[in-house]
Amino acid sequence: MAAVRTSSEITLNRVAIVAVLLVTIIFLAPIYWIASTAFKPRNLATTIPPTVVFQPEISPFVKLFTKRSQLRSPPSPEEYAAAPWWERVVFDGGEKIVRDGKGQVQWSGYPSRFLNSLIIAITSTVLAVGMGTFTAYGFSRFRVKGEADLLFFILSTRMLPPVVVAIPMFLMYRAVGLNDTHIGLIILYTAFNLSFSVWLMKGFMDEIPKEYEEAALVDGYTRMEAFFKIVLPEAATGIAATAVFCFITAWNEYAFALIMTNRRAQTAPPFIPSQVGSGLPDWTVIAAGTFLFLLPVAIFTFLLRNHLLRGMSFGAIRK
């Protein structure tokens, strides 16, 4: 029996390993496809069957950061030789970089949109997590009249898809002059993430023993000092996990950014699909913009990876 049980365990372990590998491949395949397409020549981006082995090039990134137009005629050998290397790779694709009357390169709007995404996502995440932490602490430590109803009301703000309230929000924002502004999207994303932040942080706060604060109050700390010096460090794991999810939500949001912004405060998600190039859609440029757009979230999540596993299980355990 022991030998049979051991053999069964070995078989189960092998099945589990295979299952994990398959799931990993399924999840990583789209990321690999985006990354590989970002470095492909344009003529290989849509080949059937797909081209797996190719010579990588950076022309999609050059096109992503510059404005360009279709070449009406090939450049002369002198013009080609005098052009910088990054302009020659655009020539090789049948396009040319647009310049102003002074000969200065016209840059695309991607860098400004990328910066808008950083400003709006980081600011809204800090506000949502900060206010959510204070609110969750109040619900966890004090008796609030109608607490269950208030928590349900907070949660109800996440029950409707964003697109359902997009038109009313657009009309209200237009009336108060918040359309196409950074502060408008920051307020919107903060309100959208706040309910999630409150509910997640409420679970974390409930798991921190009240005796810690009581001991600090006996030692002469004020309630606010006990919160910042005792509770906040203990809740750091939960704050990190909440911040990751709030940041991802604000970073990837598309519907509000498309409807509420046009140029000045437009973020990267609605801007990337517009980079279709001249003529047929240039999927390599879109893939390059998407690949760069993935990096901040990947880096942020990687830096907080040690907090995520404990953070996702910490608030789920009840005494």
Side-chain angles (χ1 to χ4, degrees):
M1 288 296 295
V4 173
R5 189 163 51 247
T6 302
S7 176
S8 300
E9 291 176 354
I10 293 174
T11 302
L12 287 175
N13 287 338
R14 290 176 178 175
V15 171
I17 292 172
V18 172
V20 170
L21 289 175
L22 287 176
V23 172
T24 303
I25 292 173
I26 291 172
F27 276 95
L28 291 181
I31 298 177
Y32 165 76
W33 198 257
I34 290 172
S36 63
T37 304
F39 292 93
K40 280 183 180 180
R42 183 175 180 176
N43 62 331
L44 299 181
T46 56
T47 56
I48 300 177
T51 303
V52 178
V53 180
F54 58 91
Q55 182 68 33
E57 60 180 49
I58 63 169
S59 59
F61 294 92
V62 176
K63 295 178 182 179
L64 177 67
F65 285 98
T66 57
K67 292 182 179 180
R68 60 206 185 280
S69 62
Q70 195 75 25
L71 273 175
R72 297 183 180 275
S73 60
S76 63
E78 294 78 11
E79 184 182 1
Y80 186 89
W85 65 269
W86 46 269
E87 191 167 1
R88 288 199 294 268
V89 300
V90 177
F91 282 149
D92 294 338
E95 295 178 315
K96 65 178 180 178
I97 293 177
V98 176
R99 296 176 180 271
D100 60 16
K102 298 180 180 179
Q104 299 296 318
V105 173
Q106 294 293 292
W107 303 103
S108 72
Y110 185 79
S112 63
R113 268 65 171 190
F114 192 88
L115 181 60
N116 288 341
S117 290
L118 284 175
I119 294 172
I120 293 169
I122 292 175
T123 306
S124 64
T125 297
V126 171
L127 291 175
V129 174
M131 290 189 289
T133 301
F134 278 106
T135 306
Y137 177 76
F139 279 118
S140 178
R141 291 299 188 263
F142 304 103
R143 298 185 63 181
V144 180
K145 187 176 181 179
E147 175 181 337
D149 294 332
L150 288 173
L151 286 173
F152 178 78
F153 174 75
I154 293 173
L155 182 62
S156 67
T157 60
R158 293 295 295 266
M159 293 182 180
L160 290 176
V163 70
V164 174
V165 297
I167 294 178
M169 290 300 302
F170 172 79
L171 296 176
M172 287 188 291
Y173 268 42
R174 187 177 64 178
V176 297
L178 286 178
N179 273 348
D180 201 18
T181 62
H182 293 79
I183 189 64
L185 279 186
I186 289 172
I187 293 173
L188 199 58
Y189 291 171
T190 300
F192 188 72
N193 278 325
L194 188 56
S195 57
F196 175 81
S197 177
V198 170
W199 271 82
L200 197 57
M201 288 305 303
K202 174 70 163 54
F204 297 138
M205 290 297 178
D206 289 342
E207 293 300 321
I208 300 174
K210 296 181 180 179
E211 290 77 11
Y212 291 173
E213 296 161 78
E214 293 172 356
L217 294 174
V218 170
D219 288 340
Y221 283 72
T222 64
R223 173 67 68 173
M224 192 62 69
E225 289 174 337
F227 173 77
F228 281 106
K229 295 184 179 180
I230 305 298
V231 177
L232 212 56
E234 290 291 327
T237 297
I239 292 173
T242 305
V244 168
F245 287 101
C246 288
F247 182 79
I248 291 174
T249 300
W251 184 256
N252 293 334
E253 204 285 321
Y254 178 83
F256 283 133
L258 178 65
I259 297 173
M260 300 293 186
T261 63
N262 180 30
R263 180 183 56 83
R264 183 173 53 184
Q266 188 181 50
T267 56
F271 177 79
I272 291 173
S274 67
Q275 302 306 290
V276 294
S278 55
L280 296 175
D282 194 343
W283 298 110
T284 60
V285 177
I286 297 175
T290 306
F291 176 73
L292 292 180
F293 188 70
L294 288 173
L295 292 181
V297 172
I299 294 171
F300 185 56
T301 306
F302 178 79
L303 293 176
L304 298 180
R305 67 191 185 282
N306 293 331
H307 298 284
L308 287 179
L309 182 59
R310 181 172 178 265
M312 289 311 298
S313 61
F314 185 61
I317 302 173
R318 293 291 183 269
K319 294 183 179 178

